[in-house]
Amino acid sequence: MASAEQPNQTPPPEQPNQNDEGAPTKSALKKAAKAAEKAAKAAEKAAKQQELAQQKADAEVDYAKEFYGALPLNQSQSRPRRARDQIASLSNRVGQPVLIRARVQTSRAQGNKMVFLNLRQRTDSIQGLLVVTPEKVSKQMVKWAAGLADESIVLIEGVAEKTSEPIKSASVSDVEIHISKIHLIAGLDSRLPFTVEDANRPEQDANAEVQYNRVLLETRLNNRVIDLRTQTNQAVFRLQGAIGDLFREYLSANGFMEIHSPKLQGAATESGASVFKVSYFKGNAFLAQSPQLAKQMAIAADFERVYEIGPVFRAEDSNTHRHMTEFIGLDLEMAIEEHYHEVMEMLDGMLKHIFSGLRDKYRKEIDVVQKQFPADDFKWREGPEGTLVLSFKEAVEILVEDGVPREDLDDFSTENEKRLGRLIKAKYDTDYYIIDKFPMALRPFYTMPDPEDPTLSNSYDFFMRGEEILSGAQRIHDPKVLSEKMLSKGVDPESMKPYVDAFRMGCPPHGGGGIGLERVLMLFLKLNNIRRASLFPRDPKRLEP
């Protein structure tokens, strides 16, 4: 019997790389080895990529994300009433938690795990330290904090810790804040014109080894908001406020009442040459050169003793270190019983009260200013001999003895004023003195003439460091004499009829004086330019900011 037909079978593939005995050839083995090596490398690469992906994924889980970042815009949406700390008090808070709002003056990163922040509040600064800490401070948190712009406002939480050595860059140098939370309250939308750190430096010595950016006064005034943030300016304007407080304190204790006179007037106070004319409905008005007329009329109204702190306007094209077109006047007026020296002595006592108050209560602020503007402390007589008082003639003789031609001394030029100040300091060891009995020709129409020599007047100026800071006198309270003096000075009494009429109704003898607040501050601290003592100075070339 014939056998059954076998089904078709697929022949085995040819093995071209096999030899006659069926074993792989050398080239086949080499190729296989390369393939295996390639596969192993691919597997290794894939494993590394997977590992990196996992590490990245792990890193993106920021365990500190709740502890830093920008806060929502404060629209007063909540009020948790958490007490805030002041940098100045942190030396007494060692080991305790603190919460402060401050500016970032500077920041300094060390690697990617640590950043130092210099934190500032007004005249005080402290170092903050942020360090990567597991489960508390992440690398992302440190990186974010290191990227904060200088002058950003931040909310800081942390612990005040004692430092191993004083931190020279901070005013509070014995402690630092170990930061646990930091949030941005307000950032910057534009680039700073200069750093507050540069603006706070003293004038550099020409031989200084390190040359820093010098911020010129004009640049400062053009960017006044930034300039006012310096610790120096924070101290300067705290002292300015203190002068006003001490002025009020002394005069209130001596029976004076504060008044507020109008700054728009229908006539010039002293002369038409130095007043600002402004349009006033269908006519014109003048900005007050001083509260002089109102003060005197208040005395005629039986107020007896009055004072005022307010703006004064002078339309004088004086571009000097000590003149401004608008400044703050400290003015007083008082009735006198017997002699105009009663007023002079009241003014003297008031100024010495200001000087001693600044020295005794604001030493910290004075020291801050002196770091940038080194100067000898202001000196005045405090002993039983009292304040040095010279007559105008005596002052002239001092200058003549020093070689100044007598014909140049009908009035004191700024140069001769300063020269006299140096001579008096050398001879009497005082920065503060009074000159009495000025020539009548140098004084305004309302000044009382000397009873014995009509070429002289019952008037005085007070000086600090050789510069005049106060001018005052006994006033004319008799309407007839007043009208005569007005006419002799080229002022028509009818143009100031309400003022003259006040004396026709009967007015007691009286006198007073006016002080330039900024000038007192400039000279007490020796700032060398009155613009440094004015918040937003106004002069013939500046109306902004």
Side-chain angles (χ1 to χ4, degrees):
M1 183 167 113
S3 60
E5 188 176 320
Q6 295 295 318
N8 292 333
Q9 293 183 349
T10 303
E14 293 183 12
Q15 300 293 331
N17 293 327
Q18 291 180 346
N19 58 21
D20 293 344
E21 290 79 19
T25 63
K26 285 182 179 181
S27 63
L29 289 171
K30 192 174 182 181
K31 189 175 182 181
K34 283 185 177 180
E37 184 182 357
K38 187 176 180 181
K41 284 184 178 179
E44 185 182 355
K45 185 178 180 181
K48 281 186 176 180
Q49 286 177 336
Q50 186 175 359
E51 183 182 355
L52 288 171
Q54 185 61 46
Q55 287 177 356
K56 187 176 179 182
D58 292 343
E60 286 173 354
V61 177
D62 184 358
Y63 50 82
K65 63 183 179 181
E66 298 298 321
F67 303 152
Y68 72 97
L71 292 173
L73 177 66
N74 185 327
Q75 295 181 282
S76 301
Q77 53 266 60
S78 65
R79 193 179 182 188
R81 296 181 185 276
R82 299 178 65 196
R84 307 294 175 92
D85 296 296
Q86 297 298 307
I87 286 175
S89 69
L90 296 187
S91 292
N92 302 319
R93 300 289 306 280
V94 174
Q96 298 179 34
V98 297
L99 174 65
I100 67 166
R101 172 176 54 80
R103 284 196 186 269
V104 176
Q105 179 155 311
T106 57
S107 62
R108 177 168 52 89
Q110 296 215 334
N112 60 358
K113 293 186 176 181
M114 182 185 299
V115 62
F116 293 94
L117 302 174
N118 188 297
L119 303 167
R120 188 185 77 244
Q121 289 175 339
R122 298 171 297 284
T123 58
D124 303 304
S125 61
I126 194 169
Q127 179 170 280
L129 175 61
L130 186 64
V131 182
V132 169
T133 309
E135 303 305 316
K136 293 181 180 179
V137 178
S138 63
K139 284 185 179 179
Q140 296 97 319
M141 182 174 175
V142 170
K143 182 179 179 181
W144 179 86
L148 287 168
D150 290 354
E151 293 303 295
S152 297
I153 302 174
V154 292
L155 186 65
I156 298 279
E157 290 186 58
V159 176
E161 297 287 2
K162 193 80 175 173
T163 58
S164 57
E165 58 184 43
I167 299 168
K168 295 180 180 179
S169 61
S171 65
V172 177
S173 59
D174 56 341
V175 295
E176 64 184 3
I177 302 174
H178 289 190
I179 300 169
S180 57
K181 296 180 182 179
I182 176 169
H183 289 92
L184 180 67
I185 295 174
L188 277 68
D189 284 341
S190 58
R191 188 168 175 265
L192 290 170
F194 49 81
T195 70
V196 172
E197 191 175 31
D198 280 341
N200 211 48
R201 297 186 198 280
E203 293 293 318
Q204 288 299 309
D205 188 294
N207 298 318
E209 293 180 6
V210 181
Q211 293 296 317
Y212 296 106
N213 291 327
R214 187 179 173 206
V215 187
L216 301 176
L217 181 59
E218 187 74 7
T219 304
R220 293 173 181 274
L221 297 180
N222 289 340
N223 302 276
R224 191 62 163 155
V225 169
I226 303 300
D227 186 45
L228 290 174
R229 291 179 187 173
T230 65
Q231 287 156 303
T232 300
N233 276 326
Q234 292 288 314
V236 165
F237 289 99
R238 183 163 295 195
L239 290 164
Q240 189 192 78
I243 291 172
D245 289 343
L246 292 163
F247 179 77
R248 280 192 172 97
E249 180 179 270
Y250 185 86
L251 296 180
S252 294
N254 281 277
F256 283 74
M257 179 174 68
E258 184 171 10
I259 61 171
H260 304 282
S261 64
K263 304 309 165 197
L264 284 170
Q265 297 184 336
T269 311
E270 298 177 15
S271 69
S274 59
V275 291
F276 288 108
K277 184 186 289 188
V278 296
S279 61
Y280 193 74
F281 300 102
K282 293 183 179 180
N284 293 312
F286 301 92
L287 294 181
Q289 292 168 292
S290 79
Q292 183 62 44
L293 309 187
K295 286 191 304 176
Q296 289 189 255
M297 293 165 79
I299 300 302
D302 290 343
F303 281 28
E304 291 289 319
R305 295 184 169 193
V306 297
Y307 73 88
E308 179 169 7
I309 301 176
V312 175
F313 302 92
R314 299 284 168 90
E316 297 167 353
D317 193 9
S318 297
N319 295 282
T320 75
H321 76 285
R322 65 177 189 171
H323 287 96
M324 294 192 296
T325 53
E326 179 183 352
F327 61 90
I328 299 301
L330 306 178
D331 280 88
L332 67 81
E333 204 76 17
M334 59 182 274
I336 61 177
E337 303 300 336
E338 298 173 338
H339 198 282
Y340 77 97
H341 280 181
E342 296 166 26
V343 187
M344 191 175 82
E345 289 158 6
M346 180 67 70
L347 288 163
D348 180 43
M350 178 270 295
L351 280 168
K352 289 192 286 190
H353 178 74
I354 289 174
F355 301 154
S356 59
L358 294 178
R359 178 195 61 194
D360 298 342
K361 299 177 184 178
Y362 295 89
R363 186 71 249 178
K364 173 186 171 183
E365 285 77 10
I366 293 169
D367 289 342
V368 167
V369 175
Q370 287 183 346
K371 286 180 182 177
Q372 184 161 13
F373 297 100
D376 293 335
D377 280 350
F378 184 77
K379 294 189 75 171
W380 66 97
R381 285 182 171 185
E382 296 184 90
E385 76 276 18
T387 299
L388 176 67
V389 181
L390 301 170
S391 70
F392 184 85
K393 287 181 178 178
E394 289 171 330
V396 165
E397 291 304 320
I398 290 174
L399 288 167
V400 169
E401 287 174 14
D402 196 55
V404 180
R406 190 178 295 275
E407 57 269 21
D408 293 346
L409 293 172
D410 291 339
D411 192 4
F412 292 148
S413 65
T414 301
E415 181 184 347
N416 283 333
E417 265 189 13
K418 289 184 175 182
R419 187 169 184 169
L420 180 64
R422 290 192 296 270
L423 294 169
I424 287 175
K425 180 67 182 288
K427 186 174 181 179
Y428 299 100
D429 194 29
T430 181
D431 290 311
Y432 167 67
Y433 53 91
I434 301 168
I435 296 180
D436 192 18
K437 292 293 179 185
F438 272 78
M440 191 68 200
L442 302 178
R443 307 311 264 196
F445 63 77
Y446 46 74
T447 307
M448 183 67 77
D450 178 87
E452 297 176 0
D453 184 349
T455 66
L456 299 179
S457 65
N458 292 349
S459 68
Y460 39 78
D461 280 359
F462 288 48
F463 292 79
M464 293 173 64
R465 299 191 197 265
E467 297 195 45
E468 179 253 314
I469 52 106
L470 179 155
S471 184
Q474 179 181 358
R475 322 302 188 183
I476 298 172
H477 59 281
D478 181 271
K480 183 180 177 182
V481 177
L482 179 61
S483 296
E484 289 172 356
K485 284 296 176 187
M486 292 176 82
L487 289 168
S488 71
K489 295 278 187 177
V491 178
D492 181 3
E494 285 301 306
S495 70
M496 302 175 70
K497 190 173 183 300
Y499 169 69
V500 179
D501 283 348
F503 302 106
R504 292 190 174 109
M505 309 294 175
C507 179
H510 62 282
I515 307 166
L517 170 60
E518 293 89 346
R519 212 178 269 191
V520 171
L521 183 61
M522 172 187 73
L523 294 167
F524 186 85
L525 297 171
K526 205 173 182 181
L527 298 178
N528 303 320
N529 194 307
I530 198 166
R531 290 154 188 82
R532 292 192 177 103
S534 174
L535 196 67
F536 296 103
R538 295 291 179 258
D539 60 34
K541 297 178 181 177
R542 180 172 293 280
L543 274 172
E544 292 180 341

